[in-house]
Amino acid sequence: MAGNEDLHTLFNFFEKVSKPPKQASYEDGMKYIFEHVKKLPSFVLGQIHKNLDQSNGLYKYVNYVGFSNGDFHVFQGGRPSADFIKVSTEGLGGPELRVCYPGGYAELATSAGQPMCTTRAKDEQNSYYLLVTFKDSDIDEASYSAFEANWKSKTGADIIRDAFPAGIVGGDVGFYKRLRPGHTPLNYVLRYEILPGASRESVLQFLPTLREKLTAGGIPFSNVGAYSICYICDPVKA
């Protein structure tokens, strides 16, 4: 298991992004927002995943943020604070400029037995990640317990491990469960690390084969995408 029940993870899947009115780009806008979030006492580590296929990938960016507890508003439900709404609007513009699915998650398990949501990429320039998502409509609620107990087989993690071609080596795997219904329909997320050494092209070429193998294996995924880390944010030091 991941080991620390106090850790909370934010995933925000951005299906559509636009240039913010007050920032040079979406990435600059997110960095602006992180300047606010990193000051929170519970903030541990923020990482932005950028889809390797910006033209055809479903989720263009995915925020992945670790917190030491559940104080951040996304874990509490309800509206964010007026201060955060102001910062978010200054960073990304109004909600009409983006389609995204934020949600608070628990890191139920990792392959290494150590927390992954607060761990930096092994190589910030050359690390890649597979993100496999599962919607409410993909998994019946009565099947949740079995899905979680046998997560490596139920999520396709075992299939992914065995499907890697020469030149791609898998690393740590994290398994996440949404803590409460809300803005995101994604109730489970699998995050599979690809160790440095693989090329961007080889990872992209692997995706169609992987999707076929997951489908053939009866894995009820809604999407699988390949990402790099385009930004890492550390907390403010005391």
Side-chain angles (χ1 to χ4, degrees), residues 52-84:
L52 298 185
D53 186 353
Q54 282 286 295
S55 297
N56 300 307
L58 177 58
Y59 302 117
K60 310 306 179 186
Y61 292 90
V62 181
N63 291 349
Y64 175 67
V65 190
F67 294 86
S68 62
N69 60 47
D71 288 349
F72 191 55
H73 69 262
V74 75
F75 307 112
Q76 300 296 321
R79 287 177 58 80
S81 67
D83 183 44
F84 185 82

Side-chain angles (χ1 to χ4, degrees), residues 2 4 22 35 39 61 87 93 100 102-103 108 144 152 158 165 174 177 180 206 209 212 218 227 233 237:
N4 189 338
K22 296 184 178 181
E35 287 301 307
K39 299 174 185 176
Y61 292 90
V87 169
C100 60
L108 292 188
Y144 285 179
K152 289 184 180 179
D158 289 341
K177 180 181 182 179
R180 63 172 64 239
F206 172 59
T209 299
E212 291 177 1
Y227 302 80
C233 181
K237 294 183 179 180

Side-chain angles (χ1 to χ4, degrees), residues 95-142:
E96 73 280 357
L97 295 180
R98 57 191 181 273
V99 176
C100 60
Y101 307 98
Y105 291 77
E107 188 174 75
L108 292 188
T110 66
S111 58
Q114 299 296 322
M116 192 173 179
C117 64
T118 54
T119 302
R120 301 173 72 93
K122 289 183 173 61
D123 184 332
E124 295 174 17
Q125 303 300 318
N126 300 294
S127 290
Y128 298 111
Y129 294 88
L130 299 173
L131 295 180
V132 186
T133 57
F134 303 84
K135 289 184 177 180
D136 293 315
S137 55
D138 297 328
I139 306 168
D140 183 85
E141 188 171 355

Side-chain angles (χ1 to χ4, degrees), residues 51-53 57 129-132 165 168 194 200-214 221 224-227:
N51 201 308
L52 298 185
D53 186 353
Y129 294 88
L130 299 173
L131 295 180
V132 186
I168 300 180
I194 293 176
R200 176 182 181 277
E201 291 74 20
S202 65
V203 175
L204 280 174
Q205 290 173 1
F206 172 59
L207 280 182
T209 299
L210 177 58
R211 294 187 181 109
E212 291 177 1
K213 288 183 177 294
L214 291 174
F221 71 96
V224 54
Y227 302 80

